[in-house]
């Protein structure tokens, strides 16, 4: 568990949401905001977030779509408690379940959802320098294989339900190993025009039969390079990150 002195309260969606996060552990940035914006949930529908952390993606989605019913599954108890606190203080509905997606708790296994969203760890289990903080290391480095994240997501979806996932661009081949879903759309996310994408957002439909679509990149920053301090987001990125707009796919 985290003491208040170990936390910071950070603004998301232009300050519309205030989220408690550990100062030294895993700290959400723009990726969960993009994930929430890409989920096509509508009021009254159900959403499960696998690995919800402190609740940033789930709460950004709940803020954008009034009446959506969101459940988060989180392995690390301290982060699960933060997600509950953040939901309560924001006045948004979020049910948080403690558990491992590789061994879904029985109560959650009995449910299915209209949507599943996920922001799995980007870094492979081997190689690289481990993070000094254990919670950050667990959130960023793959321990449960990405294939199991994909399988768990599909099992929790209704037939015809939608999976939305954000992942490092260099893991795209692993993401496309998804079986049991179709109508796949891939949105590359590039830091600037003309730069390689660093992230990809996948949307896939359980049982879908549509052709795979590779979309034009979503560009985050204006200009060819960083020229000044401060906000250089494109108008489209500002709409999503600052104003809570949907990310159309």
């Amino acid at each position: 568990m985290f003491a208040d002195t170990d936390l910071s309260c950070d603004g998301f969606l232009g300050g519309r949401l205030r989220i408690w996060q550990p100062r030294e552990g895993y700290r959400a940035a723009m990726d969960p905001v993009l994930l929430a914006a890409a989920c096509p949930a509508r009021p009254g529908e159900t959403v499960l977030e696998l690995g919800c952390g402190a609740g940033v993606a789930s709460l950004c989605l709940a803020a954008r779509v009034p009446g959506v019913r969101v459940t988060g599954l989180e392995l690390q108890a301290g982060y699960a408690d933060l997600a509950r606190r953040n939901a309560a203080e924001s006045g948004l509905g979020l049910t948080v379940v403690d558990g491992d997606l590789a061994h879904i708790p029985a109560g959650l296994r009995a449910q299915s959802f209209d949507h599943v969203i996920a922001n799995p760890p980007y870094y492979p289990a081997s190689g690289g320098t481990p993070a000094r903080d254990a919670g950050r290391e667990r959130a960023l480095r793959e321990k449960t294989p990405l294939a199991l994240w994909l399988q768990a997501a599909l099992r929790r979806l209704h037939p015809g339900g939608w999976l939305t996932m954000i992942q490092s661009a260099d893991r795209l081949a692993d993401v496309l190993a998804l079986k049991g879903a179709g109508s796949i759309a891939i949105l590359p996310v590039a830091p600037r025009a003309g730069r390689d994408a660093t992230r990809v957002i996948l949307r896939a439909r359980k049982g879908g039969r549509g052709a795979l679509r590779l979309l034009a990149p979503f560009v985050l920053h204006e200009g060819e390079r960083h020229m000044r301090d401060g906000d250089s987001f494109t108008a489209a990125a500002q709409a999503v990150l600052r104003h809570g707009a949907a990310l159309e796919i």
Side-chain angles (χ1 to χ4, degrees), residues 91-139:
L92 296 169
L94 170 60
T95 300
V96 181
V97 177
D98 291 81
D100 186 344
L101 66 87
H103 306 283
I104 300 282
L108 203 54
R109 282 203 311 271
Q111 301 179 54
S112 57
F113 297 82
D114 299 304
H115 302 269
V116 173
I117 62 175
N119 179 18
Y122 295 161
Y123 304 115
S126 60
T129 303
R132 289 178 295 176
D133 178 85
R136 178 177 174 81
E137 174 70 8
R138 188 62 192 265

Side-chain angles (χ1 to χ4, degrees), residues 5-210:
T5 53
D6 296 329
L7 302 174
S8 65
C9 191
D10 304 307
F12 289 84
L13 302 183
R16 182 178 172 187
L17 282 179
R18 303 294 298 178
I19 300 291
W20 291 100
Q21 301 192 90
R23 296 181 188 275
E24 301 297 331
Y26 169 71
R27 294 178 57 79
M30 68 175 68
D31 289 358
V33 184
L34 294 172
L35 173 65
C39 177
R42 295 177 292 184
E45 292 187 331
T46 56
V47 181
L48 171 65
E49 182 181 5
L50 297 177
C52 69
V56 174
S58 289
L59 294 174
C60 285
L61 177 58
R64 178 171 63 84
V65 187
V68 72
R69 292 174 288 163
V70 188
T71 299
L73 176 67
E74 175 52 42
L75 176 64
Q76 301 189 76
Y79 288 87
D81 284 344
L82 278 182
R84 294 185 187 98
R85 175 178 180 178
N86 288 326
E89 293 188 8
S90 67
L92 296 169
L94 170 60
T95 300
V96 181
V97 177
D98 291 81
D100 186 344
L101 66 87
H103 306 283
I104 300 282
L108 203 54
R109 282 203 311 271
Q111 301 179 54
S112 57
F113 297 82
D114 299 304
H115 302 269
V116 173
I117 62 175
N119 179 18
Y122 295 161
Y123 304 115
S126 60
T129 303
R132 289 178 295 176
D133 178 85
R136 178 177 174 81
E137 174 70 8
R138 188 62 192 265
L140 294 178
R141 193 172 301 281
E142 182 178 286
K143 186 171 182 180
T144 300
L146 182 57
L148 287 184
W149 283 78
L150 295 166
Q151 292 171 19
L154 287 180
R155 287 173 181 153
R156 300 278 64 79
L157 281 171
H158 295 314
W162 290 95
L163 166 63
T164 306
M165 177 179 288
I166 188 167
Q167 184 54 252
S168 178
D170 61 4
R171 304 295 303 276
L172 178 58
D174 298 322
V175 171
L176 290 177
L178 177 69
K179 296 179 180 179
S183 305
I184 295 172
I186 300 292
L187 176 67
V189 179
R192 297 181 187 277
R195 297 281 187 88
D196 290 349
T198 56
R199 301 284 185 264
V200 290
I201 297 174
L202 169 138
R203 185 186 291 172
R205 191 168 198 175
K206 185 173 181 177
R209 297 180 179 276

